[in-house]
Structures are given as C-alpha cells and as structure tokens.
C-alpha cells in the first residue's frame, strides 16, 4: 500500500521531552538505529515537547527537516510526564508503540528483544529494571517502598520496578486512550488492561545528560495519584481509624467516670490536651484522605481537555493541530493528526480502523 494516508507505520516511538536539550540528539541517534534495525524505514518517532524552556523544541523541529521519520509535537505548556506521554500516544499511528524516556536511562536497543516477543503474541512487553545505575539510595528506597505499598492497596497487580518503558500493541494503546481520567498513572492503567503482558529484565542506565525532572515533590504527587486512581482503600482506612478512635474515646469516658466516682478528679490539663490533639489529628488525616479523592473528582468533573497541542512538526514544517483529544474515536484521532501532517483525511474509515473498533487486531 503506497497511500501514505492508509499505511500505518509498523512502529511508533513516543518520547516525552522536558528540557532535554543536552540529550535529545544522542537519543534520536540511538532510537533511529534501533528502530531501523527492527522496522526498516517503516517507523515514526513522536517527540513530545512538554513545554520546555530550553532549546528542546528548536532541536526537534530542526532535526525533522532531514529526519523524515521524526514528528515533533509541541504542547502549549508543561503538562507533566504522564500527560505528555498520553499526547504522544494520541498522535502515534503505529501498529506497535514504544513508550520511552528521552534521557536514555532505558536503552532503545531493547527494541530488538521486545519486537520478537510481541511477534509471538504479547500485547505488552515492559522493561523491568534488574539494576538501576546512577540513582540515589533515597530514590531506590522510596521507589521500593512505594511499589510495596501500592501492591498492598490495589487489586490490579502492578509489576514492581517498572517504569513506563514498554512496547504496546495498537489495541492496548487505543484502550489506554479510551480511558478518560485526567490523573494518569500509565503503568497501572496498562496493567489494568490485561491481555498478555511480558516482562523483559534489563539494566537501567544512568541519565545520559541533564538532571532528573522528578524532584521529591513531584514524586510524592505521582505516588498519591497512583494510589488514589487505583485504590479506594485509603478512604476505608479513614473509616477504620475513626472507628478505632471512637472505641478508645469510649474507654476513656468509662475511665473518667470511674475516676470521678472514686473521687480522683484532679483535672489533668496536659493529658486532656494530649487527648484532644490526638483525636484532632486523626480527624484531619481522615479529612485529608477524603479531600484527595474529592479533589480528583472535581478535576474529572470539569471535563477539561487532557492536554493542549500548540503545533505538530513534520518534515521541517510546523502546522497547528486543531483539537486532538485522547478520547476521540481512533479513526477521528488519526484523521486529525493526518490533517496536521498535511495529508487529507481518508473519506471512509480504513479496514484497519474497522478491525480496531471491533477489537480484532490485524
Ligand atoms: N518529562 C516530561 N515532563 C515533565 C517531566 C519529565 O515530559 O514534566 C520527561 C523527561 O524529559 C523524560 C521523562 O519524562 O524523558 C522522565 O523524566 P525523568 O528522567 O526526569 O524522570 P526519572 O527518570 O528521574 O524518574
Ligand atoms: Mg530519567
């Protein structure tokens, strides 16, 4: 099929980039080599600039002049890693999609092992870190604690020591995009989809250049998102704690009455203050937990667009991308992307789209 409009690339590589000017060239070099090895010229690289304040976008848009496989997507502002990745997935047209970080911590060369596993019928091949070079002890410890806690709280088994580095089939990507939530925890959402998911152990490298974009503050936010979007157990914890404190309080009342009848009513100011403080803190913890969920409910209820795309750059030309929302039907999404590429939209849905909508994978 020579018609550009109908042909899906065999592979899309989606890479969110936030202030990655020092590493993006090396990333593109290695990604192109790996993709060529597994897909010939039949691939695209979707580089999403997540509102960088450095030269990341200039580099991406100038490289796309001589790298015809490169598609640059510029978001209107910084949306954060998970949303930037989602925007990239929405633009990707490939039959298979690799999600990867720009900092080369996850080697693109792993594609050579991931693709054959998917040939055998896997829906998802995810990288599982067997070692992590160049991470602080603190990050390793908190990450380990986080995955253990998450495992206890959620009913969806989310594999330990994985990032978002994974190769996904088209049908998994379409299901992922059909999930409307704004607080996205992609690795959990992919696990939730199910199907045949295969782990591929690898050694995680240190960052090639630049600094981590996940300071402690963002990591905590990410962890809270992960837990609240996959578990309502914390809400139940609030109930248990409230129940337990009510029992302790009842026992205290009995104790006070006994003391009163015994005539030992020397009012202990400090113990009283301690008790009050204790119960207040428990109340506030409970309210805080409820607030976390309530806040997310409010965000979801607003139904705002998940991300805003400033423009798309392909072949050195930047074009605006009208409205692209993750929750469009696959064929509509694709038509919007191809219009932005300067390719006219297909008059009728392609056979692949029909297959996709009925859930059968080619
Ligand atoms: N990133 C992004 N938007 C952000 C923060 C990060 O697109 O707001 C990208 C970043 O450029 C990188 C990936 O997400 O490609 C992972 O970020 P980072 O390497 O800083 O995270 P870490 O590996 O330290 O967890
Ligand atoms: Mg990194």
């Amino acid at each position: 099929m020579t018609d550009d409009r109908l042909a899906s690339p065999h592979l899309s590589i989606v890479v969110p980039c936030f202030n990655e000017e020092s590493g993006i060239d090396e990333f593109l070099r290695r990604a192109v080599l790996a993709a060529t090895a597994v897909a010939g010229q039949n691939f695209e690289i979707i580089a999403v600039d997540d509102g960088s304040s450095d030269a990341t976008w200039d580099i991406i848009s100038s490289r796309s002049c001589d790298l015809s496989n490169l598609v640059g997507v510029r978001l209107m502002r910084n949306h954060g890693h998970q949303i930037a990745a989602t925007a990239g997935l929405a633009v990707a047209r490939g039959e298979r999609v690799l999600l990867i970080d720009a900092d080369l911590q996850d080697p693109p060369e792993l594609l050579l092992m991931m693709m054959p596993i998917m040939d055998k019928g896997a829906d998802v091949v995810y990288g599982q870190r067997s070692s992590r070079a160049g991470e602080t002890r603190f990050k390793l410890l908190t990450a380990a604690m986080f995955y253990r806690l998450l495992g206890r709280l959620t009913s969806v088994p989310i594999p330990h020591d994985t990032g978002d580095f994974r190769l996904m089939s088209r049908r998994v990507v379409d299901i992922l995009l059909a999930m409307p939530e704004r607080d996205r925890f992609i690795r959990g959402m992919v696990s939730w989809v199910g199907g045949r998911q295969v782990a591929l152990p690898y050694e995680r490298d240190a960052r090639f250049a630049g600094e981590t974009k996940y300071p402690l503050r963002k990591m905590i936010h990410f962890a809270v998102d992960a837990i609240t979007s996959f578990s309502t157990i914390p809400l139940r914890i609030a109930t248990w704690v409230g129940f337990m404190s009510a029992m302790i309080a009842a026992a205290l009342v009995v104790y006070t009455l006994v003391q009163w009848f015994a005539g030992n009513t020397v009012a202990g100011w400090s113990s009283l203050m301690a008790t009050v403080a204790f119960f207040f803190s428990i109340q506030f913890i409970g309210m805080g937990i409820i607030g976390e969920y309530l806040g997310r409910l409010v965000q979801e209820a607003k139904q705002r667009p998940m991300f805003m795309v400033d423009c798309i750059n392909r072949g050195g030309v930047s074009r605006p991308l009208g409205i692209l929302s993750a929750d469009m039907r696959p064929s509509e999404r694709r038509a919007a992307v191809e219009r932005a590429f300067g390719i006219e939209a297909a008059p009728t849905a392609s056979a692949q789209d029909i297959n996709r909508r009925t859930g059968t994978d080619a």
Side-chain angles (χ1 to χ4, degrees):
M1 217 183 293
T2 49
D3 192 344
D4 198 11
R5 184 180 71 198
L6 294 181
S8 293
H10 188 46
L11 173 71
S12 300
I13 298 182
V14 170
V15 53
C17 312
F18 179 55
N19 293 344
E20 298 284 1
E21 61 178 5
S22 46
I24 187 77
D25 268 323
E26 176 64 9
F27 172 83
L28 288 175
R29 190 186 67 78
R30 280 175 58 183
V32 166
L33 276 179
T36 311
V38 294
Q41 274 306 297
N42 200 1
F43 70 92
E44 59 179 7
I45 297 180
I46 315 278
V48 182
D49 173 36
D50 188 17
S52 299
S53 52
D54 65 0
T56 302
W57 177 250
D58 302 331
I59 296 173
I60 293 172
S61 48
S62 72
R63 293 300 172 269
S64 80
C65 297
D66 36 44
L67 188 58
S68 60
N69 309 73
L70 179 63
V71 176
V73 177
R74 187 181 207 187
L75 300 184
M76 305 239 291
R77 61 170 173 81
N78 179 254
H79 281 73
H81 176 214
Q82 302 285 302
I83 299 282
T86 305
L89 294 177
V91 171
R93 299 176 306 148
E95 286 305 326
R96 293 175 182 182
V97 182
L98 178 76
L99 185 57
I100 187 170
D101 288 352
D103 56 9
L104 291 170
Q105 280 191 293
D106 309 314
E109 293 76 21
L110 233 59
L111 260 178
L112 277 76
M113 288 161 82
M114 288 174 157
M115 292 293 267
I117 298 177
M118 194 163 276
D119 289 338
K120 293 198 196 109
D123 287 294
V124 176
V125 186
Y126 58 89
Q128 190 157 36
R129 304 151 183 165
S130 51
S131 76
R132 301 173 82 172
E135 302 275 26
T136 60
R137 272 163 170 268
F138 179 72
K139 179 138 186 174
L140 294 182
L141 183 73
T142 49
M145 275 165 38
F146 168 65
Y147 280 107
R148 203 131 306 143
L149 177 69
L150 191 65
R152 286 182 164 254
L153 289 181
T154 59
S155 49
V156 182
I158 297 170
H160 288 207
D161 298 321
T162 58
D164 294 314
F165 180 42
R166 55 196 62 219
L167 181 67
M168 295 175 276
S169 68
R170 172 46 57 186
R171 70 173 181 178
V172 170
V173 173
D174 282 343
I175 294 170
L176 212 56
L177 290 170
M179 297 189 200
E181 57 253 55
R182 267 70 186 154
D183 283 309
R184 295 181 92 75
F185 178 59
I186 295 178
R187 63 201 74 161
M189 293 163 71
V190 173
S191 298
W192 182 88
V193 172
R196 277 201 61 208
Q197 311 217 357
V198 181
L200 181 62
Y202 72 106
E203 319 256 300
R204 191 161 210 242
D205 295 329
R207 233 173 191 283
F208 174 73
E211 294 197 332
T212 175
K213 284 19 173 228
Y214 270 104
L216 184 62
R217 183 177 50 80
K218 273 199 197 172
M219 261 163 49
I220 291 174
H221 189 89
F222 182 67
V224 173
D225 264 359
I227 290 170
T228 52
S229 55
F230 275 90
S231 171
T232 48
I233 289 180
L235 278 175
R236 226 173 297 152
I237 290 176
T239 322
W240 290 337
V241 171
F243 189 64
M244 267 160 44
S245 60
M247 294 210 308
I248 296 172
L252 274 175
V253 169
V254 172
Y255 172 78
T256 320
L257 283 177
V258 170
Q259 292 297 310
W260 188 72
F261 281 121
N264 304 330
T265 49
V266 190
W269 182 81
S270 47
S271 64
L272 190 68
M273 285 311 285
T275 315
V276 170
F278 175 67
F279 287 112
F280 260 103
S281 64
I282 286 175
Q283 280 202 4
F284 278 108
I285 289 171
M287 272 163 33
I289 295 175
I290 294 168
E292 287 290 337
Y293 284 93
L294 197 65
R296 276 159 185 77
L297 212 58
V298 171
Q299 290 302 329
E300 297 294 337
K302 285 189 205 158
Q303 288 290 308
R304 292 204 180 146
M306 207 179 290
F307 50 81
M308 289 155 291
V309 178
D310 182 33
C311 61
I312 277 198
N313 188 300
R314 186 178 185 246
V317 188
S318 279
R319 291 193 183 80
L321 176 70
I323 299 253
L324 180 76
S325 69
D327 34 24
M328 281 170 154
R329 275 215 315 254
S331 57
E332 293 172 332
R333 212 167 50 225
R334 186 162 169 156
V337 169
E338 297 193 339
R339 237 176 283 123
F341 284 179
I343 308 169
E344 267 315 297
T348 54
S350 69
Q352 281 156 345
D353 267 337
I354 291 163
N355 277 345
R356 234 170 264 151
R357 225 171 294 156
T358 53
T360 46
D361 207 10

